Amino acid sequence: QVQLVESGGGLVQAGGSLRLSCAASGRTFSSYAMGWFRQALGKEREFVAAISRSGDNTYYADSVKGRFTISRDNAKNTVYLQMNSLKPEDTAVYHCAGVPLGNPWVVVTHRDEYDYWGQGTQVTVSS
């Protein structure tokens, strides 16, 4: 089992940047494929980005491609989301998620496939 804690959210102007972090407990972080999702007020939780266990493979939602970068440091049990060129429509609560997988190269994009979730961190982008 793993516990996930997000940090790094805040208020930023449009065009600005933020870096989210998700710290995982336990000694098996490298066994987990990880992802970031977001949920805006009144909307469903949507996929943002995913990274394989190895970190070699990543996948992004079209809405953030070219602006956001997901990465991980297995030695620090942490996954990151670098967000650049932020837009007001990026405003949401951002959650990290994890699922244990045998295959080190698979990315997981569907929220129902994830077993573990963090509480989320608020990102607000002002226009």
Side-chain angles (χ1 to χ4, degrees):
Q1 190 170 357
V2 65
Q3 292 184 325
L4 304 173
V5 179
E6 303 94 337
S7 62
L11 174 64
V12 64
Q13 289 189 331
S17 298
L18 283 175
R19 188 195 196 200
L20 306 184
S21 298
C22 172
S25 65
R27 296 175 291 178
T28 60
F29 177 71
S30 61
S31 300
Y32 288 75
M34 301 296 296
W36 285 96
F37 291 75
R38 67 187 181 186
Q39 188 166 15
L41 194 63
K43 296 188 177 181
E44 291 191 355
R45 191 169 297 188
E46 66 174 4
F47 169 75
V48 174
I51 189 165
S52 62
R53 282 178 46 196
S54 65
D56 290 336
N57 294 325
T58 58
Y59 192 82
Y60 298 92
D62 288 343
S63 59
V64 306
K65 201 172 296 182
R67 300 187 298 122
F68 290 10
T69 302
I70 188 171
S71 62
R72 67 188 296 162
D73 186 337
N74 285 342
K76 295 183 178 180
N77 284 11
T78 303
V79 62
Y80 304 97
L81 186 68
Q82 177 66 45
M83 306 186 295
N84 299 329
S85 302
L86 282 161
K87 305 175 181 180
E89 50 263 43
D90 294 319
T91 295
V93 176
Y94 283 71
H95 299 267
C96 67
V99 57
L101 288 181
N103 189 319
W105 299 289
V106 169
V107 293
V108 179
T109 62
H110 200 287
R111 65 187 183 197
D112 290 344
E113 296 184 60
Y114 282 93
D115 293 335
Y116 301 100
W117 292 85
Q119 291 298 310
T121 185
Q122 176 71 47
V123 172
T124 303
V125 184
S126 63
S127 57

